[in-house]
Amino acid sequence: MESDISFDWQAHFESLSEKAVHPGLISYLDEPPVPGSTPIGQVRMLALDFETTGLDAKRDAIISIGFIPFTHDRIYCQGARHLLVTPDFPLSEESVAFHGITHTELEGAASFARALDVLLPAMKGHVVVVHYHAIERQFLYHTTLRRMGEVLEFPMIDTMAVEARQIKGRTRLGRMRNRLKGWIRPEPAPSLRLADTRQRYGLPCYQAHHALTDALATAELLQAQLRKGYSPDTPVSSLWM
Amino acid sequence: MEIELVEIKNHLKRFSPFKALPETVLNDLVSHIEVSYYQNGTKILGHRQENHYLYYIRSGAVEIKRSNGQLYSRCGEGETFGQFSLLRGYKVRYPAWAIEDALIYLIPDEQFQHLCDTFDDFADFMEEDHGSRLLSATTKNRHSSASPLLMTPVRKLIRREVVTASESVSIKEAAKIMSNARVSSLVLLNNDHAKSAADLEVKGLITDRDFRERAIIPGLSFSSPVKTIMSTNVITCQAEDHAFEAMLTMMRHDLHHLPVLSHKQVVGVINIGDIVQFESHGTVFLAREIFKQPDVTGLKRIAREMRLSFVQLVNEGANSHMIGSAMSGLGRNICQRLLQLGESEFGPPPVPYCFLVFGSMAREEQLIVADQDHAFVLHDDFIEAEHDAYFKSLAQFVSDGLSTCGYPYCSGDIMATNPRWRQPLSVWQTYFENWIERPNPEALLHCSIFFDLAGIHGEGAYADQLTSLIREKVKSSQRFLNCLAHNALLRTPPLGFFKTFVLEPDGEHKHTFNLKRRGTAPISDLVRVHALACGSDALNTLERIDDIHAADLLPEGTSDDLKEAMEFISMVRIRHQALQLEKELSPDNNIEPESLSRFERRHLKDAFQVLRNQQSFLRYLTKGSGWRID
């Protein structure tokens, strides 16, 4: 399913909806994502980022969620949210050092279920955009599975994948040309980290590891990537995965 | 729920006028912001397009163009555009283009209008145009440093009881009152119409100079009432005003005397000297010391102390006019003392002479780094074979002495050591006649400096004769003015200046621009053209601007902009040099754009914009030959 352009998300949502029990999930699945042929210029998107206690979705927990709605032309701060989530696994010392979120701060945090009550309505009708989709996709999948016994799956646009494709060359000819260039003068592969990628588009440097800041950073990055490499008529299916 | 878009909020907090907004207002503002990315070369706002946002540049650069495609302004990080369309019917007048990839924060009209309604400073900032923004910048800037000059009330400067008379006394009586009281100015009141002391009003002011120019020269009867020669509509200041406000008033209106009022009653008169002396005893002291020095070594020591005096003046918040006059004055004193020392070494001069200085010293705009520019005008009895050896030695002595004191030799060789600039008056008159009557731009390029001349030693009359010759000849030489104007337009301001600063192309100062060559000098050049066109005898650029304004040569309102621009660029230059002196670096005029504060950048840009507009106007005048010459 990962990068299959022809994957039918509409049908997948319908089948998920039949099995869903959680009312929030049912409501979310009620409005399937836009058809894959929709021009990207007309798609409503939601940039999403999680901070987690580690990288293993089966053993680590989500501790904060940041999201911000946007389109091809505008990012809307008004819809932005930052949610702290009570981890269902204890916080490790390393993750405290990494995110700067302490146990005390998390005391006021919402349970994952409550956070989902905010996140799902915001996601409804929007295509989710992340930087490095594996984290968000796996953590959502496993956390919902663990907490509710249900799975949450949806199409995502991954700015890291968009960037990797941009670097490799989007056409066969471009890829050949790039391979040839690499053969003549090998260059180290450019970093695909969010901050490094943003820098290549002249976007400002942000403080990393804050879920909402990273979501904003991701939204800005996709806007920049779309301006440079894609027409607003590009079908969304050629970007999502 | 608090929205933690810290990156947006923290950025806004760094820039005016947002940084003055309360935290809660800023939080609310951030939650309404929209963000958009514009690729280099794309249009952000089109001409006559409808606009409902204030645009704030988070990163990148934007160019605002006139409808004819000409560059109006360039904006960078932390600057806004689009406000004019929000304030004036939502139609975009100047289109905006991204000239670098730009990340823009869009502030919706509703929030913008709300901020304007709630915060006057915000509204003022948005309403201001270049000229007025500059004015508030130069004044606010001075307010910010707490020097005694700024904090001292005017009443403390009053050194003697005010001398007044009724406006109905005769000219002769007025003179007698002034003479007896030993004052150089007299305040005239409406004694005849006032029923009580509270009704007394200042009706006029008269100074020594008025007697000369308005009574004696026109041949007025000394029994006529003094009101026929007094200045009316007298500009005054309040006793509780700060000294610097009085100083600004005097500068702005070119006044030497300023009556001080307290509760509508005149309580004193201050003159510009009162103000300068109040804070710069350092300079006055140095001036006296210069004439006590027995040799060049002593003068060298004083010249070093001048640098401290310069830094002190800057730190006390003196403006460019004060600093320029102080430094030029001391420079002149050093020249004068060197000539005295030379005369005592080589004996008395074989024929009378006048020592001329040119350029910034003549204009009283000299700072710390200044080449020497001077010449000898000799009596017409001068015979080269007999007399020149003396003047050659004297010139060499003065020039070497100036060099020792830190005034580098003139690279263009405009010095009395050059035989061409050591000539009798009649030759000098021919020089000027040739320059004016048969002008060509290349030749004039090197001699425009001669048109700012001051005789500072010897026969001052020679300098006066040259000055009046210039004034008479120039007015009738359209071609000369056109050539001079042509040259005045050669040096352009480094506009579009933050990232796309036009830097000096060569030499070791690759990443800097020269604030004299690209800032103050082009303003002086431009003002000189207008000043010569209107027959002004002033030398100082600010005084010339007043004369030009009085002659109605500039579009309404622009002379104040020009003065403020000159003042601001000069002050950035001055502060730059003071900073270098404090760090014990050798001062120069080369500014690194990165070293400027936000404040300086923004206002420097406005100042350059003013200069650019004035250059366009001058170009228009020469093309259309629109000089208004009698």
Side-chain angles (χ1 to χ4, degrees), chain A residues 73-78 80-82 201-204 206-207 210 212-213 216 220 223-224 227-228, chain B residues 1 3-8 30-39 53 55 58-59 101 103 105-106:
Chain A
D73 297 310
R74 291 292 166 83
I75 299 166
Y76 300 96
C77 294
Q78 203 159 21
R81 291 291 180 274
H82 185 240
Y201 290 87
L203 287 166
Y206 287 167
Q207 171 97 45
H210 178 282
L212 181 52
T213 301
L216 174 67
E220 291 170 357
Q223 276 199 342
R227 291 293 187 288
K228 298 252 162 159
Chain B
M1 182 182 309
I3 295 176
E4 298 178 37
L5 283 160
V6 279
E7 292 289 347
I8 297 180
V30 168
S31 74
H32 289 94
I33 279 178
E34 297 173 19
V35 185
S36 192
Y37 178 89
Y38 294 90
Q39 205 184 338
Y53 291 93
Y55 288 71
R58 171 59 178 83
S59 66
D101 292 339
L103 189 66
Y105 295 160
L106 296 96

Side-chain angles (χ1 to χ4, degrees), chain B residues 94-114:
Chain B
Y94 296 147
W97 296 77
I99 54 166
E100 275 177 22
D101 292 339
L103 189 66
I104 305 286
Y105 295 160
L106 296 96
I107 296 168
D109 182 47
E110 194 187 330
Q111 275 66 38
F112 172 80
Q113 301 292 354
H114 178 70

Side-chain angles (χ1 to χ4, degrees), chain B residues 488-489 491 493 522 526 611-619:
Chain B
L489 298 174
R491 294 189 284 194
L526 176 131
L611 169 56
R612 223 262 312 259
N613 293 345
Q614 288 290 345
Q615 288 189 331
S616 308
F617 180 68
L618 184 62
R619 188 172 296 116

